[in-house]
Amino acid sequence: MMWTRIYLVLLLIRLYFALSPSYIHPDENFQGPEVIAGSVFSFSNHLTWEFTSSQPVRSLFTLWPVYGIPMIILRWMWAETGKGEVTPQVTYYVLRTMMFVLSFVLEDWAIHELVQSPRQRRIAVILVASSYVTWTYQTHTFSNSVETLLVLWSLVLIQRILENKQHSSLFASALLGILLVFGIFNRITFPAFLLIPGFYLIPHFIRNPLSLLALLLALLPTTLLAILTDTSFYLSSTQPSTLSHILHSPTLTPLNSLLYNLSPSNLALHGTHPHYQHLLINLPLLLFPALPLLISHPIPSLRLSSALTGTALLSLFAHQEPRFLLPAIPLLLSSIRLPASKPHTNIFLAAWLLFNALLGILMGIYHQGGVIPMQIWLGQQPFQEWHAPVREVLWWKTYSPPVWLLDGNAGGEAGLETVDLMGRPIEELMEVVEEKFGGCDVKDGRGHEKEIIVVAPRSRVDLDRYTQGEVPGWVWRELRTEKRHLNLDDLDWGGEGVVGTLRRVVGRRGLVAWLVSKRCDD
């Protein structure tokens, strides 16, 4: 009963973080919901380079089952209520709830399947359920989160096939074939975690060729369906969407992605890291207190070999982000044996709880936590009805705001234009602001006084001279503040020191929307 109570408490914590609108990385929106929302609903959306280049690297085949089907079901159920169109806010939280459900059903169930010992199984489930990675990354709409579930269930199927030595395990083999295709089209890093477990299947396939046949009969048509789906989406409007054209000029997104990531010049555009980044920096960032136990008390298993092989192979690439290791985290945590000494166990548990509480609050609540609520708020404002209609929003020193959350306020003559200035210097921000006005007491195209909105972190002290009225001719009026927002890209340990940086970034936390207008003295 104690284990059950602990698990239920951790489940509620996971749900809380799932519904907290932190923003860990732009890819959680722009490589998932942003793409599909424009097709299912009438929301405006923005397609990033992964979907617009001549050699696209992201597959639509995986996005439709994960996000498209839930959105279609939501649209149908919402229509039955007679409340009009579904809002982006409702869609956003439905998707987060869906990721929470997938996490605690499929991830936790897979751990139950993979860990054989009842005692070790309880420990593994609790460790995974108490990890901030599970609370935050895994409940966000990342392709990495989907990859984690696919790796876990591929291992479950491999384990079932290997344990059933007397039979061909046709169903498990066929299902594995489907998951292999889904995993590869979702992320090309997927096979790295199944390389060693896959070798274990070779003797089984030699003894049971029907099992291999079942896998291939499921894998081949699924692959064809994936290629057809992607090719149909990426055909230009001038190209006929015929079967002949699709077969002669297929779009192979996994191959495009592999070739792109094999180019050092391409990876340099996203930031290069030393090859030890995953091992010495990213793994400690994800599960620091558990690493000593993983080194001193590992449980040899298929799970552990999968995690270590995947981490090693991903370390060969120069671009390394912590979220790339998401599939390894539940595998590593389920391969840990607690110390035999009770005092040592208590020390580990205390460090584990403190570590995950701090990182959970940071990454699950405050990390870029104002962007989503602010964008939703902007989408709900009747700017076209204001005395001076606002038509442009400049975002500065934040992650890119998801356009689909603006609902009817995005695009069109009366819609908002989102200008993403990212991390440009303050001088470039003010140059853009000046260009938007071009003079004093400027009117827009309809004769209204012109105003724009600038969204930026309050921690940016270089904006103070403008927002506090120290620069003549400018009026900055605070419209809205989202207090739960920290901009970790704004840290300056070298220039301000630890205390000064924390005082500014944490003490002045928050994301602010300013209404900006320009005046000139007579």
Side-chain angles (χ1 to χ4, degrees):
M1 285 297 294
M2 180 190 69
W3 292 99
T4 303
R5 288 195 292 267
I6 293 174
Y7 178 73
L8 290 176
V9 170
L10 293 173
L11 205 59
L12 291 175
I13 293 174
R14 195 187 315 188
L15 177 61
Y16 172 78
F17 282 112
L19 298 178
S20 297
S22 70
Y23 195 8
I24 298 176
H25 192 280
D27 284 357
E28 66 183 270
N29 276 292
F30 289 97
Q31 291 186 10
E34 181 86 18
V35 182
I36 301 298
S39 299
V40 177
F41 302 109
S42 58
F43 306 152
S44 296
N45 65 340
H46 169 70
L47 297 182
T48 55
W49 68 269
E50 292 95 337
F51 300 92
T52 59
S53 69
S54 59
Q55 301 294 323
V57 299
R58 287 296 172 189
S59 172
L60 269 290
F61 171 71
T62 58
L63 297 185
W64 274 106
V66 177
Y67 307 116
I69 292 177
M71 286 185 185
I72 292 172
I73 294 174
L74 172 62
R75 184 182 63 185
W76 172 74
M77 294 179 64
W78 195 266
E80 294 297 313
T81 66
K83 295 182 179 179
E85 295 290 331
V86 183
T87 65
Q89 183 177 18
V90 170
T91 307
Y92 175 84
Y93 284 106
V94 165
L95 291 179
R96 279 292 189 88
T97 303
M98 178 201 70
M99 294 302 294
F100 161 75
V101 172
L102 290 178
S103 169
F104 94 81
V105 172
L106 296 182
E107 184 177 16
D108 297 3
W109 183 8
I111 297 299
H112 270 276
E113 290 267 350
L114 290 170
V115 182
Q116 303 295 314
S117 165
R119 182 179 182 276
Q120 184 58 35
R121 184 185 301 134
R122 288 195 296 266
I123 295 173
V125 169
I126 294 300
L127 285 177
V128 172
S130 60
S131 169
Y132 89 91
V133 176
T134 304
W135 299 343
T136 58
Y137 284 92
Q138 197 59 38
T139 59
H140 286 223
T141 49
F142 282 116
S143 61
N144 312 87
S145 306
V146 176
E147 181 184 29
T148 300
L149 301 178
L150 293 170
V151 168
L152 285 171
W153 276 95
S154 295
L155 291 177
V156 169
L157 293 172
I158 291 173
Q159 182 171 282
R160 288 180 181 178
I161 293 171
L162 294 176
E163 290 175 350
N164 194 3
K165 301 182 186 301
Q166 304 303 320
H167 300 87
S168 297
S169 304
L170 298 182
F171 178 76
S173 298
L175 189 54
L176 178 61
I178 295 173
L179 291 189
L180 290 177
V181 177
F182 205 92
I184 292 171
F185 275 78
N186 178 62
R187 291 190 65 82
I188 58 165
T189 54
F190 171 78
F193 294 96
L194 297 184
L195 183 63
I196 297 300
F199 281 124
Y200 283 89
L201 287 175
I202 296 176
H204 175 84
F205 288 149
I206 294 175
R207 292 192 307 268
N208 300 280
L210 285 178
S211 184
L212 176 60
L213 181 62
L215 184 146
L216 293 176
L217 288 177
L219 182 146
L220 294 176
T222 307
T223 302
L224 180 59
L225 178 61
I227 295 173
L228 290 174
T229 302
D230 287 345
T231 306
S232 298
F233 176 82
Y234 287 113
L235 283 173
S236 69
S237 57
T238 60
Q239 293 173 305
S241 182
T242 63
L243 182 60
S244 174
H245 184 88
I246 292 174
L247 293 177
H248 284 87
S249 302
T251 299
L252 305 176
T253 52
L255 179 60
N256 293 342
S257 181
L258 178 62
L259 294 176
Y260 182 89
N261 284 279
L262 287 176
S263 169
S265 60
N266 289 337
L267 295 183
L269 299 174
H270 308 276
T272 56
H273 307 96
H275 290 295
Y276 56 77
Q277 176 87 10
H278 276 325
L279 188 63
L280 299 184
I281 299 176
N282 293 341
L283 273 180
L285 183 63
L286 296 172
L287 40 73
F288 175 65
L291 286 179
L293 293 183
L294 190 61
I295 296 172
S296 61
H297 297 79
I299 300 175
S301 64
L302 204 61
R303 306 184 304 278
L304 184 59
S305 62
S306 171
L308 295 180
T309 305
T311 302
L313 290 176
L314 294 186
S315 297
L316 298 177
F317 293 88
H319 181 60
Q320 302 180 19
E321 298 180 29
R323 62 192 174 94
F324 295 171
L325 298 182
L326 288 195
I329 302 307
L331 301 176
L332 294 174
L333 290 177
S334 63
S335 302
I336 290 175
R337 186 181 290 111
L338 293 181
S341 167
K342 188 173 182 180
H344 289 169
T345 299
N346 291 337
I347 291 174
F348 162 71
L349 292 177
W352 180 250
L353 291 175
L354 180 61
F355 171 79
N356 287 290
L358 292 177
L359 269 295
I361 292 171
L362 175 61
M363 302 304 293
I365 298 176
Y366 284 97
H367 189 271
Q368 295 284 331
V371 174
I372 301 299
M374 185 69 78
Q375 187 76 323
I376 290 174
W377 177 80
L378 288 170
Q380 295 171 341
Q381 303 311 300
F383 290 117
Q384 63 274 15
E385 299 176 9
W386 287 20
H387 173 68
V390 175
R391 309 198 189 284
E392 296 161 310
V393 181
L394 277 56
W395 290 76
W396 185 59
K397 297 291 184 179
T398 70
Y399 281 177
S400 299
V403 175
W404 71 279
L405 293 177
L406 283 176
D407 196 7
N409 265 348
E413 184 180 351
L416 288 176
E417 176 191 355
T418 298
V419 181
D420 184 12
L421 298 176
M422 296 182 282
R424 297 186 190 181
I426 179 72
E427 294 79 14
E428 292 190 26
L429 165 66
M430 294 313 300
E431 285 178 8
V432 173
V433 173
E434 286 275 8
E435 290 174 2
K436 295 297 180 183
F437 285 93
C440 301
D441 301 315
V442 179
K443 308 293 183 181
D444 66 12
R446 298 183 179 181
H448 299 292
E449 175 186 319
K450 182 165 185 176
E451 294 177 326
I452 64 173
I453 291 176
V454 174
V455 179
R458 192 181 294 278
S459 59
R460 294 302 309 186
V461 295
D462 41 2
L463 270 182
D464 287 353
R465 53 195 297 263
Y466 296 96
T467 61
Q468 296 175 8
E470 298 176 8
V471 179
W474 291 104
V475 178
W476 291 59
R477 180 164 64 88
E478 187 172 319
L479 281 180
R480 184 177 179 84
T481 298
E482 296 290 345
K483 193 67 175 176
R484 290 183 169 187
H485 181 95
L486 283 177
N487 181 25
L488 298 186
D489 295 333
D490 204 15
L491 301 175
D492 184 15
W493 306 115
E496 298 177 310
V498 174
V499 175
T501 299
L502 292 178
R503 182 182 293 118
R504 178 177 58 84
V505 175
V506 179
R508 294 184 47 156
R509 64 187 177 277
L511 185 67
V512 185
W514 280 283
L515 186 66
V516 181
S517 57
K518 189 175 184 181
R519 302 284 187 275
C520 292
D521 296 331
D522 294 332

